[in-house]
Amino acid sequence: MIRKIFLFAAAIVLLTNMNLFAQNEKDSTNENWNDEEWLNWKDYDWLHWEFHGRPFIEVNYGIGGADHKKLKSKFADIGSLEIKLGHAYCSTYYAEDIIKFSEKYLFGSRFRADLKSSSTSIGEMKSDLWRFGFAKREGYAYKLNNISIMPYNSSGFVWSRIEMIDYPAKFYLLTNPPMSLDNAINDTEILNRFHDAYRFGTVNEGGIKLDIFSTVSFNISYEAAVIFPRHLFWKHLGSLIIEESAKHLLDNFIDEVSDSSPYATPIVDFLLNNGLSYAFFTLKKDRMNWPFETEAPLTYEMIKFGITVTF
């Protein structure tokens, strides 16, 4: 296990360094620190965490559900509570009212059916999930006097522990039509691969923040998370390289858009990066380490509402 963690960390460092050398430097002025510090941080690599910038606390409430391609049973809808602790960075970018921003944060969440509704239909399985992880959130914003409109894309790594409150054996004869015993046994075997153990996964989120006086922000977002039943290091690394390479090509295109049409950049960046993230999420529903032949993961999709206080 220690060897896998070391190899995974080394791979992320390699990917971020490749990204650093491949990108072209751009002239920018920073509202919070000097140009040299901004250039040191412009790529926000995953493992280089220093506590610069403005700290923030964010609280989110979400509504959504879980799914697994191979399950015949259905999960009950869930509610979620989440807290994020991190640091925010921003700079003036090409135009005074176009801001490039990036945030790195730690987060902890709880997903539970009772956080949405106390009642569920017959045949719906209740679950209780705790998770923690780290992520980065970035994009381009429109700054309008004391208000900023900030569309963004975020991605991160997460460790989740799910406890199944209900199993198919509890209700499979009560469904209409009744579930077969073979399907109930198969579903139980799949769920046991996730139940009562920490599992590694990924999370992506797209949303819009409305920032007021650079102090309080209100946001709405859509999250898509993948939980692996097992972590297959080399296949995950190969899948990650493909996804990051696609994102790098997309970022180069967005850079070209920003050169010629800076005011279109926030919208183009939001649509393309979130479209790419959701496309890969859809592919991973069948194969957790797409395009490699791997089993289906547990997935979560959720609409979230939040408030952020930046200090």
Side-chain angles (χ1 to χ4, degrees), residues 17-196:
N17 285 338
M18 288 170 62
N19 189 54
L20 175 64
F21 288 115
Q23 291 186 352
N24 294 324
E25 299 291 345
K26 294 185 176 182
D27 294 332
S28 60
T29 58
N30 193 320
E31 295 179 340
N32 297 325
W33 63 89
N34 61 44
D35 289 341
E36 183 178 356
E37 290 173 322
W38 163 246
L39 292 174
N40 287 340
W41 274 96
K42 76 183 296 290
D43 291 279
Y44 302 104
D45 57 284
W46 279 102
L47 299 176
H48 186 193
W49 191 296
E50 293 185 12
F51 294 97
H52 297 304
R54 300 179 61 188
F56 70 84
I57 298 174
E58 180 175 311
V59 178
N60 290 283
Y61 173 74
I63 301 172
D67 190 27
H68 190 288
K69 281 285 188 176
K70 303 297 183 181
L71 282 179
K72 301 298 182 182
S73 308
K74 182 181 178 182
F75 283 94
D77 290 339
I78 56 174
S80 73
L81 291 174
E82 181 176 67
I83 185 169
K84 298 177 179 178
L85 304 175
H87 287 75
Y89 312 83
C90 65
S91 75
T92 304
Y93 196 76
Y94 282 116
E96 291 185 359
D97 47 1
I98 301 296
I99 304 299
K100 181 178 174 70
F101 66 92
S102 185
E103 301 168 355
K104 299 175 79 171
Y105 55 88
L106 304 173
F107 64 90
S109 318
R110 188 181 189 187
F111 295 177
R112 187 176 172 90
D114 294 346
L115 292 175
K116 179 181 182 295
S117 173
S118 58
S119 61
T120 57
S121 302
I122 294 176
E124 293 183 340
M125 300 180 296
K126 288 185 177 181
S127 60
D128 189 2
L129 179 144
W130 292 87
R131 70 177 189 177
F132 64 92
F134 61 96
K136 62 177 179 179
R137 176 166 58 194
E138 54 192 0
Y140 299 83
Y142 295 106
K143 187 172 178 61
L144 310 172
N145 296 322
N146 294 319
I147 297 177
S148 296
I149 302 172
M150 309 170 71
Y152 66 82
N153 169 265
S154 75
S155 58
F157 299 115
V158 62
W159 287 261
S160 305
R161 181 181 181 276
I162 183 171
E163 179 183 350
M164 296 304 304
I165 299 173
D166 295 322
Y167 270 93
K170 184 176 180 179
F171 57 75
Y172 77 99
L173 290 176
L174 303 177
T175 59
N176 187 19
M179 179 187 295
S180 70
L181 178 59
D182 287 343
N183 285 337
I185 293 173
N186 182 67
D187 284 2
T188 299
E189 290 176 350
I190 291 174
L191 293 169
N192 281 338
R193 292 180 62 74
F194 299 93
H195 174 71
D196 202 24

